[in-house]
Amino acid sequence: SVFEYAPAPESRSVVDIAPSYGLFIDGEFVDAADGKVFKTVSPSTEEVLSEVAQAGEADVDRAVKAARKAFEKWSALPGSERAKYLFRIARIIQERSRELAVLETLDNGKPIKETRDADLPLVAAHFFYYAGWADKLDHAGYGANPKPLGVAGQVIPWNFPLLMLAWKIAPALATGNTVVLKPAETTPLSALFFADICRQAGLPKGVVNILPGYGDTGAALVAHPDVNKVAFTGSTAVGKEIAKTVAGTRKKLTLELGGKGANIVFDDAPIDQAVEGIVNGIFFNQGQVCCAGSRLLVQESIQDELLDSLKRRLSTLRLGDPLDKNTDIGAINSEEQLARITSLVERGEAEGGERWSPACELPESGYWFAPTLFTNVTQAHTIARDEIFGPVLSVLTFRTPDEAVAKANNSQYGLSAGIWTEKGSRILAVASKLRAGVIWSNTFNKFDPTSPFGGYKESGFGREGGRHGLEAYLDV
Ligand code: TXE
């Protein structure tokens, strides 16, 4: 299959990390105008990986100007020509996927098993998928000759650094827009490697610009008057700030924000399969996933059996060196995120939740959190309401399907849900009542570039992926 790629990466020596990186503007790596830099560390060891230029307002302006200039030619290319570049980028990603998987694991802390088998194949698949659309936009269902918007300002988080970049950049380029993207401050490296891949692919200068930096860099990008489209994935709080900035301008906006996904297990569910799905739902990427199944809703009659199996399974998970291909649970991305998780877990205990973790030794350096289960949780508890964004599962029970639906929908968020049952009719009935943008049945955290992804309620608006993902980048 075209989605297969290089053999398993095994050590950090497969990737050559430079001691310092510049901003990527107009096809060149350059210093920040004010010379500012910041360090990026490996969360599993706290080792400094590299020093990265930090973009300020002047750099944002320079990058947006480069993207504006590039837009004239890029948008005028026939779609079939843009497709060639995107296919080339997709193939280079496959060819360099060992490097990229190791790099992502080092900078983010997630297990190599995940970067190798999930992130990288999905990144390549996303570019292949949107490459395929570039010459078919007349057939996207939006009428003949839909127009690109112009310069897209894109701000992404640290939990899937390269995949979020792919979700943002691939549809933008396929539709003829140009891009200025700000990666998260804790994970700039794979985006800078991607910049190098753009050069390798011969992508015209200025079509993609990468500006590492903190929140103020993102804020300057979003506010820049010559940006036509803003795409953001991150916290609900920052999403609301961005919505305020964009209000009153003609910028088009999509927001992909937090979640508190319900994983609903009925009494007829295949228990072993459900246990795997629950584990994948909340411990994949240490739970730092917007669509994580962070609330387990289990039918009361099978609660004991399910929790026994789940605890046995959790006791087999291996936590440690993310570059070890047997590792299931890697490091938390940053000290700040670890502090956030810790404080919410303490709150969970203070409010009466019962905390359980398997016996598990945490490495001495780096940022770690053991897989954690909370029982004795009610809907009023903070840990049942707030996004924890960590390896922490809150268990609640229900008796009837209606009660399951009511509890699942009792959230400010509406991003994801899972339904576990053998009954097809029940899957359809329950799914139709859930207020969530993505619903899985008898599986969880499955992604595919052909499927639109996005939220209801405070999880944001707009869709990424699939044909719907084109809409965000076109005037139709
Ligand atoms: O997010 P931020 P943080 C949630 C999750 C997590 C919490 C905080 O619950 O615990 O958010 O994480 C940039 N204008 N999610 O603090 O700050 C920032 O530099 C423009 C869910 O890391 O939202 C980074 O590039 N940009 C989420 C990006 O926004 C700004 C993924 C995300 O950082 C900015 C991440 C500003 N004012 C966190 N301030 C998901 N939906 O998957 C910051 N940024």
Side-chain angles (χ1 to χ4, degrees):
S1 128
V2 293
F3 301 141
E4 274 167 18
Y5 59 105
E10 62 295 318
S11 78
R12 67 167 295 171
S13 63
V14 305
V15 63
D16 201 7
I17 302 177
S20 66
Y21 287 92
L23 316 169
F24 186 68
I25 301 178
D26 208 15
E28 309 292 338
F29 285 100
V30 297
D31 291 338
D34 60 8
K36 272 198 189 161
V37 294
F38 67 101
K39 290 181 170 58
T40 183
V41 302
S42 174
S44 59
T45 57
E46 295 173 61
E47 166 205 1
V48 174
L49 294 171
S50 190
E51 205 172 68
V52 174
Q54 181 179 334
E57 249 177 75
D59 306 299
V60 168
D61 189 50
R62 207 172 138 198
V64 172
K65 285 203 170 93
R68 170 64 53 200
K69 190 160 161 253
F71 177 69
E72 279 175 39
K73 282 190 185 158
W74 181 249
S75 59
L77 280 184
S80 55
E81 288 300 310
R82 290 198 305 272
K84 283 186 195 166
Y85 288 106
L86 287 169
F87 278 122
R88 215 177 284 158
I89 288 172
R91 282 196 299 270
I92 299 173
I93 287 168
Q94 288 184 311
E95 283 158 20
R96 299 185 68 178
S97 63
R98 292 178 79 194
E99 276 173 86
L100 287 165
V102 171
L103 182 72
E104 195 83 314
T105 283
L106 285 169
D107 210 13
N108 169 280
K110 64 171 79 186
I112 191 74
K113 214 167 32 178
E114 294 183 7
T115 47
R116 186 192 63 190
D117 298 344
D119 299 49
L120 261 300
L122 283 168
V123 169
H126 220 78
F127 277 98
F128 278 116
Y129 175 77
Y130 279 109
W133 267 119
D135 61 353
K136 300 174 194 69
L137 297 176
D138 285 352
H139 311 289
Y142 305 128
N145 203 11
K147 299 285 191 295
L149 302 175
V151 176
Q154 307 178 322
V155 179
I156 59 169
W158 41 264
N159 55 341
F160 294 90
L162 201 57
L163 186 59
M164 289 303 103
L165 174 150
W167 283 23
K168 298 277 179 290
I169 291 186
L173 297 196
T175 46
N177 299 273
T178 54
V179 163
V180 181
L181 176 137
K182 192 201 85 69
E185 50 270 37
T186 55
T187 53
L189 294 182
S190 55
L192 293 166
F193 262 58
F194 178 80
D196 190 43
I197 288 174
C198 291
R199 290 214 297 204
Q200 206 182 331
L203 191 73
K205 289 181 177 192
V207 172
V208 167
N209 304 273
I210 307 284
L211 297 183
Y214 288 78
D216 56 339
T217 310
L221 175 58
V222 165
H224 194 288
D226 207 26
V227 163
N228 305 97
K229 149 82 191 169
V230 172
F232 173 75
T233 299
S235 62
T236 298
V238 170
K240 286 182 179 175
E241 281 305 309
I242 289 177
K244 280 186 206 157
T245 304
V246 167
T249 73
R250 285 176 306 196
K251 291 173 193 170
K252 205 162 167 174
L253 175 65
T254 45
L255 296 175
E256 208 265 273
L257 310 173
K260 193 73 189 176
N263 214 347
I264 308 169
V265 185
F266 287 97
D267 58 7
D268 67 330
I271 294 281
D272 291 348
Q273 198 184 324
V275 165
E276 288 309 307
I278 294 163
V279 169
N280 173 22
I282 186 62
F283 301 115
F284 175 58
N285 197 13
Q286 295 71 248
Q288 302 166 126
V289 182
C290 50
C291 53
S294 50
R295 287 182 296 157
L296 172 61
L297 297 183
V298 53
Q299 198 151 17
E300 207 175 74
S301 53
I302 58 160
Q303 181 185 201
D304 293 346
E305 184 192 354
L306 185 79
L307 287 182
D308 284 349
S309 303
L310 185 58
K311 287 180 176 173
R312 273 199 306 276
R313 179 68 179 94
L314 294 187
S315 304
T316 69
L317 293 178
R318 293 190 191 191
L319 177 147
D321 180 7
L323 278 177
D324 180 335
K325 62 184 179 344
N326 295 312
T327 292
D328 302 299
I329 309 274
I332 301 300
N333 180 249
S334 66
E335 204 169 2
E336 291 72 35
Q337 189 57 26
L338 180 60
R340 244 177 249 137
I341 297 168
T342 307
S343 113
L344 278 162
V345 163
E346 283 166 1
R347 182 113 180 237
E349 281 188 294
E351 289 178 7
E354 210 166 290
R355 177 180 175 178
W356 182 90
S357 287
C360 125
E361 219 174 287
L362 302 183
E364 267 169 24
S365 56
Y367 318 125
W368 303 91
F369 204 89
T372 300
L373 271 189
F374 266 104
T375 51
N376 208 23
V377 179
T378 74
Q379 295 182 87
H381 287 172
T382 308
I383 53 167
R385 311 184 73 82
D386 287 9
E387 182 176 57
I388 300 175
F389 226 60
V392 183
L393 181 64
S394 300
V395 182
L396 297 116
T397 58
F398 67 88
R399 288 188 183 157
T400 64
D402 283 347
E403 195 188 340
V405 168
K407 285 187 170 167
N409 285 341
N410 183 15
S411 171
Q412 80 214 60
Y413 296 114
L415 192 53
S416 72
I419 305 169
W420 298 82
T421 172
E422 295 280 20
K423 289 199 184 89
S425 57
R426 182 179 276 163
I427 294 169
L428 296 176
V430 170
S432 71
K433 292 180 197 149
L434 291 176
R435 302 279 302 147
V438 185
I439 299 170
W440 288 287
S441 162
N442 295 331
T443 187
F444 210 91
N445 273 340
K446 276 252 155 68
F447 303 96
D448 189 290
T450 66
S451 295
F453 182 95
Y456 292 6
K457 302 191 265 185
E458 300 229 334
S459 295
F461 49 78
R463 294 293 177 266
E464 295 183 302
R467 181 177 67 81
H468 297 81
L470 298 166
E471 222 164 287
Y473 290 94
L474 288 172
D475 262 331
V476 298

